[in-house]
Amino acid sequence: MGRRGAIAGMPEAVQAWLKKALLAGNFSGYEELETALRDQGYQISKSAIHRYGQKFERRLSAIRASTEAAKMIVEGAEDDQDARSGAVVALVQTELFETILNLQEATEEEIDPAERVKLLSSAAKNIATLTRASVNLKRYQVEARGRMAAEAEAAAVAGATAEGLTPEQAARVGAAVASRIQIYLPDNGR
């Protein structure tokens, strides 16, 4: 079994304190943190604290980016085609990818190889579930686009007919409107 990292072996309360201190110091002041930890009885080098701080900062950055993206989606996306669910699926996929990369970067001291296999197996199962959800969501979105185009076409035909166009002319107007609706809907590859 691999050896755990020095910081990973510290009590959760001390790790929580270190995270707060890293945030408060804007991910700097590693010598002071080394001294503060030594005063608490922990022999952790400033290099180890720096590596831990970099990983923590990367994770924090990813969380902030995901949160901001989710806020923007909620504020700006009409949900006729379940765009928010698509965004959530994309965010989860990004997070799973980031987790897999972190597992690959982790040394045997940080994560036991048997534990790594368990984590990757769990990630694979979650990815399979997420992929099924993504496929079902895309199917729903295609159906929603089709319904919206059909409704727009029907409305255009009815309007054109009411204005006195022949049924053939009204049908051409309806087809043109439906094709334009397809162009402006998101995620249809155009």
Side-chain angles (χ1 to χ4, degrees), residues 32-182:
E32 292 83 5
L33 292 171
E34 178 184 21
T35 302
L37 286 170
R38 189 176 319 114
D39 292 346
Q40 294 180 42
Y42 300 100
Q43 296 297 319
I44 311 292
S45 70
K46 66 180 178 188
S47 297
I49 297 169
H50 183 258
R51 284 190 303 273
Y52 181 81
Q54 285 181 317
K55 286 181 184 179
F56 177 54
E57 188 173 16
R58 273 196 317 269
R59 287 190 180 109
L60 192 60
S61 243
I63 290 168
R64 284 180 180 150
S66 296
T67 302
E68 186 61 31
K71 284 180 186 177
M72 290 170 55
I73 289 164
V74 168
E75 290 171 1
E78 291 184 23
D79 216 16
D80 294 342
Q81 296 183 51
D82 205 14
R84 290 182 192 144
S85 293
V88 169
V89 167
L91 291 173
V92 172
Q93 285 173 330
T94 301
E95 187 64 29
L96 280 171
F97 182 72
E98 178 76 23
T99 301
I100 289 170
L101 290 178
N102 287 339
L103 282 172
Q104 288 176 338
E105 291 175 359
T107 64
E108 285 190 18
E109 289 97 27
E110 294 173 322
I111 297 178
D112 177 50
E115 183 64 23
R116 183 188 311 243
V117 169
K118 287 180 190 176
L119 291 170
L120 287 172
S121 174
S122 176
K125 288 177 187 174
N126 289 328
I127 289 169
T129 300
L130 194 57
T131 301
R132 279 191 302 277
S134 180
V135 166
N136 288 335
L137 176 62
K138 289 191 185 345
R139 185 179 303 130
Y140 171 79
Q141 289 171 332
V142 166
E143 290 169 2
R145 281 193 294 274
R147 279 192 310 274
M148 290 171 70
E151 290 170 8
E153 182 175 6
V157 168
T161 303
E163 290 296 319
L165 272 65
T166 67
E168 294 81 22
Q169 291 170 325
R172 282 197 304 271
V173 169
V177 168
S179 71
R180 292 290 180 212
I181 291 293
Q182 285 295 324

Side-chain angles (χ1 to χ4, degrees), residues 7 31 76 89 114 162:
I7 294 175
E31 289 179 12
V89 167

